[in-house]
């Protein structure tokens, strides 16, 4: 969604309202979420939440950038990607007293603090030698009642939102910098109206006066952190085994913790946030406003309200932000002080496949996955985003040892031929790191040696042993770190260890539901969650997206009778362009099909060979679920009849290009082979899936499905581990008919959904949230690059299958590639020599308007000779003329 100037609107954007008659600052606000009809929800500075048309707002600032975030140019979202290396924000603050007087302009975030001291959910804290992350807060909220005669203190929890109190005006506070409550906020017992039950107040601790039934609403006069729960993630004492160290208690008092700010996404300020100045007591936070004027306004307000309130410290309110960003781009160029509105967060489809200057990489060999053992390691110097090529400086010895130096020779390679070192062997911008050896000097540019006091971890001072990466040095070994006290130094890579950063949601899931306060989540938490899902930019969490690729469409509900072929066609129609362009072929229910016809349907060939689409055989020794001995322990007659019904459906209604084997000695197991459809990155390929129907849970639960990946991931829904991400399998979220139904869903529906919805012509959009890019320049560019990668991985999968065909399908693999090998090589020839796009090897109209990338052609040149050799071994037909394909001219 775009504003009136054509700028994309992102969640948490600071926007200017063009059509408003409110006061001086009412025209500012924060974008919360998008609605249909090009409308967005905006929270204004004064707290009012309104709905505006996108063309009536203008994006003014983006303060949510943080070091390590991937960004793209707002004017070229399909271009190269950059990494944020630094952020500078200036704040304008208002006195939160009901009027619009600016107290201070150009305030640094370092000059202000949060309302409830320092801590919020997700913050990093230090206790002795331990670094942890806050996953729950207990707050003491003092509530002043309207007659001024009574004050009570309510203890509330923050992780799941308070189940005791809620804001009258439903303030949508930014959870990264605010707790749920702030002084001056009107609150009521959660779940009650203005005249609701006040038992929560009755049971609270009364600091002044005593409870009355009329005390239903009140005003927050003070907020303090009473206690926190901390997930301890790392220790500074890296020379000892972690299990020998005594972890601090998860329950901590805030005064016993030291706050560590890594400069990440947890620490940005937005319009409407509340804060106090650090350098003055909270009672004098309005010092920039003349005290006489402030007291006068408060007296006038009391007279107007007719209420007698005690005076208390009110926080400041963020009225405006101005943010600039430092960025290093893939091509190695650096920009400093870039206006934030000229950048957008980049929805990197697979973070681990992106290369940036400073990354350590290794050369892949023939589709062996990401195994870096024994490989020569290099350092990325620059990346050509359009050509998908990477310039690498190689170290002069094998391995990643710190004694290895550059060999002085740079080499340009295809990005598809490189793998990134695992995070255990590499660091990157924004990574939180610990010193491995506390007694070693940083030896950095600061020239400061940590004092003995600093070297005593028991002091709790994190300044010398915890920091975050801010830059790479010119050599292969050193990085620049900003430590907890703001000091910076250059350190050797082997002197630091990266802290793995679990997200708050992940921590809560691991720890369990006991941490949540019962009751509904606060409105602020709900809005915060919607921010990440409704605006056009994805969340920054890089935990590995999972998607079912269904673009919101639900699979057709299969009938329970014999006309399953109609259901199959209904499911496959969801693939859109694949079917519309005639790239797949499905048979109606009940029609006889020969093995040759099935192969021809899927591949476009009239040649045939005899491999039945469906057969009952003995179980293979390499089935993924073979060792699960659950079969026969509780299936019973009902389960047996259901499995036999599934067999009958598969035998009668399998579409072309799908082969199934079931096993008479293991009725719970199946093996499925699929031929990649023409017009997709998977054309001519074979893809295998092992399936189990557990007697103890099927059909109440969906089948278990494992993809034979060989360590490759050719599709967002198919993981290296073999996981198949699909709503129908309950491996991804969904609702209604998207989910497995014991009465209506079938194994055939699962198989056809994988063939049609997963192995489709545009797999890039299978990634969660990427459907918003359909038709955009960014989407068109990224879908082409992803299809190139998927095709290269499909070719590597062919090599693996020829070397190690799944048991029972040896003949299918050999005969398929013996007859179709020349078509694979012909497609590679078209991509290499004619620059056709993936899926258009025939050079159809438009295929050459955006030719394939140089990196893609480099990768093909490496894999094609191996393909030719493998096809020659099985005497593939018509491959002789391709013997020089991919090889340099003589």
């Amino acid at each position: 969604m775009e504003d009136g100037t054509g700028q994309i609107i992102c969640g948490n954007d600071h926007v200017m309202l063009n059509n408003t008659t409110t006061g001086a600052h009412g025209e500012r606000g924060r974008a919360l979420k998008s609605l249909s009809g090009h409308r967005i929800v905006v929270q204004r500075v004064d707290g009012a939440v309104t709905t505006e048309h996108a063309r009536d707002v203008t994006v003014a600032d983006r303060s949510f950038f943080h070091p390590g975030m991937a960004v793209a140019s707002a004017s070229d979202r399909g271009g190269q990607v950059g990494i944020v290396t630094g952020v500078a924000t200036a704040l304008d603050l208002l006195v939160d007293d009901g009027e619009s007087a600016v107290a201070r302009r150009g305030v640094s975030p370092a000059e202000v603090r949060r309302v409830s001291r320092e801590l919020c959910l997700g913050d990093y804290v230090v206790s002795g030698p331990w670094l942890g992350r806050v996953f729950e807060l207990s707050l003491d909220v003092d509530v002043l009642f309207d007659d001024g005669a009574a004050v009570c203190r309510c203890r509330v929890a923050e992780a799941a939102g308070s189940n005791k109190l809620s804001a009258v005006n439903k303030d949508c506070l930014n959870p990264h910098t605010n707790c749920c409550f702030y002084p001056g906020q009107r609150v009521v017992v959660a779940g009650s109206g203005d005249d609701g039950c006040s038992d929560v107040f009755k049971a609270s601790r009364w600091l002044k006066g005593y409870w009355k039934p009329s005390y239903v609403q009140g005003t927050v006069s003070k907020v303090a952190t009473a206690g926190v729960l901390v997930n301890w993630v790392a220790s500074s004492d890296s020379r000892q085994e972690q299990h020998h160290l005594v972890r601090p208690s998860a329950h901590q008092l805030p005064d016993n913790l030291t706050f560590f700010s890594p400069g990440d996404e947890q620490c940005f300020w937005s319009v409407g946030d509340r804060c106090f100045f650090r350098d003055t007591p909270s009672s004098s936070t309005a010092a920039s406003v003349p005290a006489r004027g402030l007291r006068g306004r408060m007296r006038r307000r009391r007279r107007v309200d007719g209420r007698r309130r005690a005076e208390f410290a009110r926080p400041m309110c963020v009225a405006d932000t101005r943010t600039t960003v430092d960025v290093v781009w893939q091509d190695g160029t650096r920009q400093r002080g870039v206006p934030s509105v000229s950048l957008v967060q980049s929805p990197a489809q697979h973070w681990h496949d992106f290369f940036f200057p400073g990354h350590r990489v290794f050369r892949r060999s023939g589709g062996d996955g990401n195994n870096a053992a024994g490989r020569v390691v290099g350092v990325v110097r620059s990346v050509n985003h359009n050509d998908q090529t990477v310039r690498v400086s190689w170290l002069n010895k094998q391995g990643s040892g710190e004694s290895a130096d550059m060999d002085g020779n740079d080499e340009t390679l295809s990005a598809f031929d490189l793998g990134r070192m695992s995070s255990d062997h590499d660091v990157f911008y924004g990574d939180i790191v610990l010193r491995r050896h506390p007694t070693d000097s940083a030896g950095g540019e600061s020239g400061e040696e940590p004092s003995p006091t600093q070297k005593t971890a028991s002091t709790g001072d994190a300044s010398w042993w915890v920091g975050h990466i801010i830059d790479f040095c010119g050599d292969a070994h050193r990085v620049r770190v900003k430590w907890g006290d703001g000091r910076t130094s250059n350190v050797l890579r082997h002197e630091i260890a990266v802290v793995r950063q679990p997200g708050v949601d992940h921590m809560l899931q691991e720890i369990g539901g006991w941490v949540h306060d019962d009751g509904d989540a606060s409105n602020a938490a709900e809005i915060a969650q919607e921010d990440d899902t409704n605006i056009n930019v994805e969340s920054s969490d890089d935990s590995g997206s999972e998607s079912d690729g269904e673009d919101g469409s639900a699979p057709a509900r299969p009938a329970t009778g014999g006309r399953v072929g109609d259901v199959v066609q209904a499911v496959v129609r969801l693939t859109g362009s694949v079917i519309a362009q005639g790239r797949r072929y499905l048979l109606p229910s009940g029609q006889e099909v020969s093995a040759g016809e099935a192969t021809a349907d899927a591949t476009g060939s009239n040649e045939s060979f005899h491999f039945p689409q469906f057969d009952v055989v003995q179980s293979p020794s390499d089935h993924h679920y073979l060792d699960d001995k659950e079969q026969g322990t509780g299936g019973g007659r009902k389960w047996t009849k259901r499995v036999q019904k599934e067999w009958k459906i598969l035998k009668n209604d399998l579409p072309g290009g799908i082969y199934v084997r079931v096993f008479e000695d293991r009725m719970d197991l199946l093996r499925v082979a699929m031929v990649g459809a023409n017009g997709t990155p998977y054309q001519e390929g074979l893809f295998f899936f092992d399936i189990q129907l557990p007697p103890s849970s099927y059909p109440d639960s969906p089948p278990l499905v494992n993809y034979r990946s060989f360590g490759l991931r050719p599709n967002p829904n198919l993981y290296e581990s073999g996981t198949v991400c699909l709503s129908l399998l309950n491996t991804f979220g969904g609702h209604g008919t998207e989910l497995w139904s014991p009465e209506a869903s079938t194994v055939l529906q699962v198989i056809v959904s994988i063939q049609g919805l997963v192995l489709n012509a545009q797999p890039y959009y299978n990634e969660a949230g990427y459907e918003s890019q359909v038709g955009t320049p960014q989407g068109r560019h990224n879908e082409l690059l992803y299809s190139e990668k998927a095709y290269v991985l499909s070719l590597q999968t062919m090599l693996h299958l020829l070397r190690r065909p799944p048991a029972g399908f040896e003949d299918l693999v050999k005969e398929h590639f013996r007859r179709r090998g020349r078509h694979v090589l012909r497609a590679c020839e078209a991509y290499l020599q004619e620059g056709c796009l993936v899926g258009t090897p025939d050079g159809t109209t438009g295929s050459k308007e955006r030719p394939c990338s140089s990196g893609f052609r480099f990768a093909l040149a490496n894999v094609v000779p191996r393909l030719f050799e493998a096809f020659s071994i099985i005497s593939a037909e018509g491959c002789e003329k391709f013997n020089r394909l991919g090889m340099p001219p003589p």
Side-chain angles (χ1 to χ4, degrees), residues 517-528:
D517 200 5
D518 294 334
D520 296 333
S522 67
N523 184 64
E526 294 172 358
I527 293 294

Side-chain angles (χ1 to χ4, degrees), residues 723-772:
T723 298
V724 179
C725 196
L726 199 67
S727 291
L728 196 58
L729 298 175
N730 291 353
T731 51
F732 186 76
H735 54 84
T737 54
E738 296 176 355
L739 301 175
W740 176 263
S741 168
E743 297 79 19
S745 301
T746 66
V747 174
L748 180 61
Q749 183 184 359
V750 172
I751 294 173
V752 174
S753 294
I754 294 174
Q755 187 189 42
L757 299 175
V758 175
L759 300 175
N760 59 38
Q762 296 176 324
Y764 172 75
Y765 299 113
N766 284 16
E767 197 71 80
Y770 285 14
E771 62 273 6
S772 63

Side-chain angles (χ1 to χ4, degrees), residues 163-183:
N163 70 326
K164 296 181 178 180
L165 301 177
S166 64
V168 172
N169 296 324
K170 303 298 182 184
D171 304 69
C172 302
L173 300 176
N174 174 15
H176 299 302
T177 46
N178 281 265
C179 62
C180 300
F181 306 100
Y182 59 87

Side-chain angles (χ1 to χ4, degrees), residues 171-369:
D171 304 69
C172 302
L173 300 176
N174 174 15
H176 299 302
T177 46
N178 281 265
C179 62
C180 300
F181 306 100
Y182 59 87
Q185 181 185 40
R186 295 287 292 172
V187 293
V188 65
V189 174
S192 68
D194 291 351
D195 300 323
C197 175
S198 58
D199 285 349
V200 170
F201 292 143
K202 181 179 180 180
S204 299
R205 177 185 175 190
W206 287 84
L207 307 179
K208 178 181 178 182
Y210 54 90
W211 175 80
K212 296 179 181 180
S214 60
Y215 289 162
V216 176
Q217 284 193 21
T219 301
V220 176
S221 61
K222 183 180 178 181
V223 180
T225 303
V228 299
L229 289 178
V230 181
N231 179 32
W232 300 106
V233 296
S235 170
S236 65
D237 197 343
S238 59
R239 294 170 299 173
Q240 301 181 29
E241 292 293 334
Q242 293 282 331
H243 63 268
H244 291 318
L245 300 177
V246 178
R247 291 176 181 264
S249 170
H251 298 263
Q252 293 286 326
L253 296 176
D255 291 340
N256 297 334
L257 301 173
T258 301
F259 171 68
F260 168 66
S261 174
D264 69 358
E265 70 274 15
Q266 297 293 327
C267 302
F268 71 89
W269 292 88
S270 296
V271 170
D273 284 349
R274 266 69 175 184
C275 61
F276 289 112
F277 284 114
R278 290 182 183 274
D279 55 357
T280 58
S282 60
S283 60
S284 59
T285 54
S288 298
V289 180
R292 180 180 302 174
L294 178 61
R295 287 195 296 270
R297 284 197 297 271
M298 293 181 70
R299 285 195 296 270
R300 289 194 297 272
R301 185 173 182 181
R302 286 199 299 272
R303 287 196 296 269
V304 171
D305 291 344
R307 298 167 177 160
R308 187 169 53 85
R309 301 186 187 180
E311 296 186 13
F312 52 84
R314 292 178 180 266
M316 312 297 284
C317 178
V318 177
D320 202 356
T321 62
R322 294 176 297 280
T323 305
T324 59
V325 182
D326 298 338
V327 182
V328 57
W329 297 98
Q330 285 183 294
D331 63 6
T333 59
R334 292 175 177 267
Q335 288 183 294
R336 300 187 182 277
V338 180
S340 61
V341 293
S342 66
L343 302 172
V344 293
Q345 184 178 351
S346 175
Q349 63 263 34
H350 290 296
W351 179 247
H352 58 275
D353 287 332
F354 269 70
F355 298 101
F356 291 93
H359 270 151
R360 287 197 168 191
V361 296
F362 62 92
R363 194 195 304 263
R364 300 189 185 193
S365 59
D368 291 333

